[in-house]
Amino acid sequence: MQRNREFGADLVRVVATFFIIGVHFFLYSDFYSVSQEEILFVLAGFVRWITFACVPLFLVLTGYLKGKAKWTPQYYRSLVPILVTWLLMSVIGIAFSIGYLHVEHTFGEWLVELFEYRASKYAWYIELYIVLFLLAPFLNEVFRGQQNKSFHKGLLVTFFVVTILPSITNFYSVGDERLRILPDYMVLLWPITYYYVGCYIAMYKPNPKKRNCIAVAVVAALCQSVVTYIHSSGDSFDDLLKAGYADLFTFVITIAVFLMLYSVNTKKTKVRQVVTHISKRSLHIYLVSSIFDMLIWNDGAGMAVFDEYWWKFPVKCMGVFIAALLTSEITYPISQAIAKLVLQLVSKEKSK
């Protein structure tokens, strides 16, 4: 089983997990509120925009790995470990909220927190993933319904125009009114755009030079950082495009990073083992990292002084990662055991 795993896919998942922790560094520091007067904030913004590609990387990877999935009743079995992980980490999140944060809710209020995907602070991604998972076989039928590269390019370009391109065509204003040059009614379909990019990469295996991918990602992140810095005009962080994950620069960074990583391979057994080990636990690390973000940032130290970013970023991010990884060593086998039990019970019920 382990031999069949793609090292590049595991590497993408590990990097995306690091990016999650990295971008949350900026969320929990005072980066977004402090006045960005020093030109060196361009470098801080550069790191922020690179790590902001975290969620899109997971979505491209989903398309890459599930692009061949077909609808069968058995297809839904692979969602069970995800749901079990979400429930387990939500219970841990609730326990943390009660025991450490002293949050007082009724049982009904905790149920609302659970099914609003807030019991575990970062569980909103699970809600997104569930929907994408349910749609995947049908999205695949559209993509693979025609074995035609021109059709696939047309599909990607259409989704790009509908969901990503409005980020740079529709931020202009005339007076108090925003100028909508392109229809942006379907911008919220951006997860499907990233999914289809993954499908396309899985089918055609583009392999641009790694240095070109690095250059594109660096230039895109630097451009976005400079634009943000200028637009902030010495005030607090102000994203000019305000398009979130549908931002053109984020899209370019995501694709460049994915293309750089997905084809990487190595024969070094130890490296493969470490990357695979972390990759398998990535969802646990992602979800439980919210707890350690709050614990590690509870020292009350903001970063009004720019120089503090450079030593606090690696130290605090590595602290969160190590703590979350160690916790996953406990939660991962538990969730796997529960998921296996659930699937066995379902199989027994069907065989009756």
Side-chain angles (χ1 to χ4, degrees):
M1 183 83 159
Q2 185 131 328
R3 264 178 271 168
N4 295 330
R5 295 182 69 95
E6 286 191 46
F7 177 79
D10 280 334
L11 184 60
V12 169
R13 193 178 285 112
V14 170
V15 169
T17 303
F18 273 107
F19 279 9
I20 285 285
I21 293 172
V23 79
H24 287 151
F25 167 89
F26 296 98
L27 176 65
Y28 284 92
S29 71
D30 55 7
F31 176 77
Y32 295 116
S33 59
V34 70
S35 179
Q36 300 195 13
E37 296 177 353
E38 297 183 56
I39 189 64
L40 288 176
F41 269 102
V42 171
L43 296 180
F46 171 83
V47 176
R48 189 271 182 188
W49 285 111
I50 285 285
T51 56
F52 190 65
C54 50
V55 169
L57 279 172
F58 280 120
L59 296 178
V60 175
L61 184 62
T62 301
Y64 180 80
L65 296 175
K66 291 199 171 293
K68 293 181 180 179
K70 296 182 178 181
W71 183 89
T72 64
Q74 289 73 34
Y75 171 74
Y76 300 103
R77 292 171 61 90
S78 59
L79 186 59
V80 171
I82 304 295
L83 295 178
V84 169
T85 298
W86 161 60
L87 287 170
L88 177 61
M89 304 314 286
S90 294
V91 169
I92 292 173
I94 290 171
F96 176 76
S97 296
I98 295 172
Y100 183 79
L101 301 179
H102 307 295
V103 176
E104 296 183 2
H105 280 335
T106 64
F107 178 75
E109 287 171 332
W110 283 121
L111 276 181
V112 171
E113 290 286 305
L114 176 65
F115 290 106
E116 288 288 335
Y117 300 90
R118 295 193 304 248
S120 178
K121 188 175 176 64
Y122 302 152
W124 68 269
Y125 175 76
I126 300 296
E127 184 177 14
L128 166 60
Y129 182 82
I130 290 171
V131 174
L132 195 58
F133 178 93
L134 295 176
L135 290 175
F138 309 103
L139 294 174
N140 295 344
E141 286 296 319
V142 173
F143 190 84
R144 294 185 173 270
Q146 293 196 39
Q147 299 296 311
N148 184 310
K149 193 170 186 178
S150 295
F151 172 82
H152 294 146
K153 286 182 177 178
L155 182 66
L156 288 186
V157 169
T158 300
F159 269 89
F160 174 80
V161 170
V162 168
T163 64
I164 306 297
L165 200 55
S167 68
I168 61 166
T169 63
N170 294 8
F171 72 91
Y172 303 100
S173 296
V174 177
D176 295 331
E177 296 294 326
R178 185 165 59 93
L179 187 61
R180 295 173 60 200
I181 297 174
L182 283 176
D184 59 3
Y185 197 80
M186 294 292 182
V187 165
L188 289 178
L189 292 178
W190 60 264
I192 297 178
T193 301
Y194 285 111
Y195 180 87
Y196 272 144
V197 169
C199 292
Y200 185 92
I201 293 173
M203 178 171 283
Y204 296 106
K205 301 290 185 182
N207 191 27
K209 293 180 179 179
K210 302 273 187 293
R211 64 173 179 268
N212 291 343
C213 294
I214 294 172
V216 169
V218 167
V219 169
L222 192 57
C223 285
Q224 182 69 315
S225 182
V226 169
V227 168
T228 303
Y229 176 79
I230 293 173
H231 184 64
S232 299
S233 301
D235 205 341
S236 59
F237 180 92
D238 188 359
D239 173 13
L240 176 62
L241 301 183
K242 296 180 176 61
Y245 298 120
D247 181 295
L248 174 64
F249 292 100
T250 298
F251 179 82
V252 172
I253 293 166
T254 299
I255 307 311
V257 172
F258 190 93
L259 289 174
M260 178 180 64
L261 297 175
Y262 90 100
S263 60
V264 172
N265 205 350
T266 180
K267 294 182 179 179
K268 295 180 179 179
T269 304
K270 287 295 182 183
V271 173
R272 296 186 70 93
Q273 288 175 342
V274 170
V275 170
T276 299
H277 186 85
I278 297 173
S279 176
K280 288 180 176 180
R281 289 152 179 78
S282 60
L283 183 59
H284 291 255
I285 295 170
Y286 179 5
L287 294 176
V288 82
S289 67
S290 65
I291 290 177
F292 295 107
D293 278 333
M294 286 184 273
L295 288 173
I296 289 178
W297 280 102
N298 197 36
D299 59 11
M303 288 185 292
V305 180
F306 176 81
D307 292 343
E308 294 184 23
Y309 279 94
W310 302 111
W311 71 266
K312 283 193 175 182
F313 182 83
V315 170
K316 293 211 167 190
C317 288
M318 190 53 66
V320 170
F321 173 76
I322 292 173
L325 176 61
L326 291 176
T327 304
S328 75
E329 298 298 334
I330 300 171
T331 59
Y332 177 77
I334 292 174
S335 68
Q336 289 294 103
I338 295 173
K340 184 177 180 180
L341 179 61
V342 170
L343 290 171
Q344 287 175 344
L345 291 174
V346 170
S347 297
K348 285 181 181 179
E349 285 297 317
K350 284 187 176 181
S351 62
K352 287 183 180 179

